[in-house]
Amino acid sequence: MPVAFLGLGAIGAPMAAHLTSTDRLTVWNRTRAKADAFAREHSATVAATPKEAASGVTVLLTCLPTSAEVDAVLFGKDGAAPALASGAIVIDCTSGDPASSRRIAARLAEQGVAFVDAPVSGGVPAALKGELPVLLGGQSVAVERARKVVAAFGKKIVHLGPVGAGHAVKAVNNALLAANILAASEGLTALVKAGIEPRLAVETINASSGASFTTQVLVPARVLNGSYPPLFRHALLDKDCGIAVELAAEMGVERPVLQAVKTRMAELRAILGEAADYMDPFARAERSAGVEIRG
Ligand SMILES: NC(=O)c1ccc[n+]([C@@H]2O[C@H](COP(=O)([O-])OP(=O)(O)OC[C@H]3O[C@@H](n4cnc5c(N)ncnc54)[C@H](OP(=O)(O)O)[C@@H]3O)[C@@H](O)[C@H]2O)c1
């Protein structure tokens, strides 16, 4: 099946790589050199523009920072949408925002093109293994089509509701992740400064009620080893927290905790910069307290 993939970033590239075994893949990336490097390593054709990538394909996947970039690559200059034939489907793996996705879906529907939001969870290691949880939002018929495509890189593939439902659940999930990262970075730094052995503290928390994915997986694999490879930008996690706050506001739900997390994430984004990794708040907490959480 001819498939196009737009956006070969940290997570997009390993996802697209899995499609090359089952599909005839065309890729496009804003920085052309990354697409050329991808095509040298995998069986894929490089398109010069989103429009060129979309011509002749029935399935188009996007994996971009936010819904604003998805809108631009579909409907902007040299955008993909006008090249898509009626009956095609757009599967958006961006962690986007529900309201934008509903607008994009409505616009594509005018030309007979289906839209499914399909953000992924699990990070780069799961993407490399082709074992990403995929959170689907859309109409049932389109979702069943999308399910077959994302199975190339997905493991737990869940249909959560209409268009935007995948993005909504993804945003709240990531806001919870951010809350845990921020709280654990502050709490563990305090414990180490109080003279407690870091690994012992983490193991005790992980056998207790404060355990989370952050303390069980991320801290042992990365913080205790002093390993900070760039896998997922802090700026993108901050963006997800903003989507979660907007969702809660739209639903009229009180949100002081989500708002506090978002505020702190934005402060750290300003301090750490756009390229910082989502685990860098730990490194910063260590630096500012003059301790190392190692062991
Ligand atoms: N990394 C993860 O672990 C992870 C996990 C789950 C979900 N996500 C989500 O997946 C999406 C992509 O994340 P990522 O980590 O792959 O991001 P990334 O490494 O920052 O890559 C972003 C991609 O979008 C492209 N891009 C940026 N601005 C653009 C623009 N204005 N127009 C067109 N293309 C543009 C980049 O092109 P260039 O190469 O030219 O910069 C690159 O291909 C985000 O929504 C993120 O929240 C990421």
Side-chain angles (χ1 to χ4, degrees):
M1 181 166 58
V3 170
F5 198 104
L6 314 183
L8 301 170
I11 196 113
M15 287 162 63
H18 290 288
L19 291 163
T20 58
S21 54
T22 47
D23 299 297
R24 207 147 28 84
L25 187 68
T26 301
V27 292
W28 173 83
N29 194 65
R30 179 182 62 172
T31 305
R32 166 92 191 211
K34 284 192 202 168
D36 289 337
F38 181 93
R40 277 195 298 278
E41 199 180 331
H42 307 283
S43 168
T45 304
V46 177
T49 61
K51 188 176 185 178
E52 188 183 305
S55 60
V57 303
T58 47
V59 177
L60 180 127
L61 295 102
T62 44
C63 190
L64 298 164
T66 74
S67 295
E69 286 83 27
V70 176
D71 192 279
V73 302
L74 288 173
F75 304 114
K77 185 174 178 292
D78 292 325
L84 289 170
S86 176
I89 182 169
V90 172
I91 302 171
D92 181 24
C93 298
T94 307
S95 299
D97 69 273
S100 299
S101 290
R102 286 191 291 270
R103 279 195 298 276
I104 290 170
R107 210 165 155 190
L108 288 171
E110 288 169 14
Q111 60 177 95
V113 172
F115 177 92
V116 170
D117 48 308
V120 298
S121 197
V124 172
L128 289 166
K129 285 191 255 175
E131 294 181 353
L132 287 165
V134 190
L135 287 57
L136 301 175
Q139 291 178 344
S140 296
V141 174
V143 161
E144 289 319 305
R145 274 178 81 188
R147 189 186 288 279
K148 294 190 182 79
V149 178
V150 302
F153 50 75
K155 198 172 181 192
K156 186 170 169 52
I157 303 167
V158 195
H159 182 195
L160 289 151
V163 167
H167 284 153
V169 176
K170 171 70 187 173
V172 172
N173 175 78
N174 276 21
L176 299 181
L177 169 67
N180 279 313
I181 288 173
L182 297 182
S185 67
E186 294 171 7
L188 289 176
T189 303
L191 290 175
V192 173
K193 197 137 192 183
I196 296 163
E197 202 269 304
R199 183 167 289 276
L200 199 57
V202 172
E203 284 173 0
T204 304
I205 288 167
N206 285 340
S208 308
S209 50
S212 63
F213 177 78
T214 300
T215 59
Q216 289 176 323
V217 177
L218 297 177
V219 169
R222 304 193 54 185
V223 182
L224 294 179
N225 291 332
S227 165
Y228 290 94
L231 295 179
F232 175 38
R233 290 192 295 120
H234 173 87
L236 293 174
L237 189 56
D238 172 48
K239 167 262 304 176
D240 295 331
C241 293
I243 297 170
V245 170
E246 273 169 35
L247 176 75
E250 205 183 306
M251 295 299 117
V253 170
E254 288 182 11
R255 52 198 177 278
V257 177
L258 287 178
Q259 186 59 63
V261 171
K262 167 64 190 148
T263 301
R264 183 59 181 152
M265 289 293 287
E267 281 167 10
L268 286 170
R269 180 173 177 172
I271 294 166
L272 298 170
E274 290 298 298
D277 184 73
Y278 74 134
M279 291 300 283
D280 286 353
F282 277 94
R284 184 184 180 276
E286 289 176 321
R287 275 197 308 277
S288 59
V291 296
E292 283 197 336
I293 310 171
R294 300 280 181 277

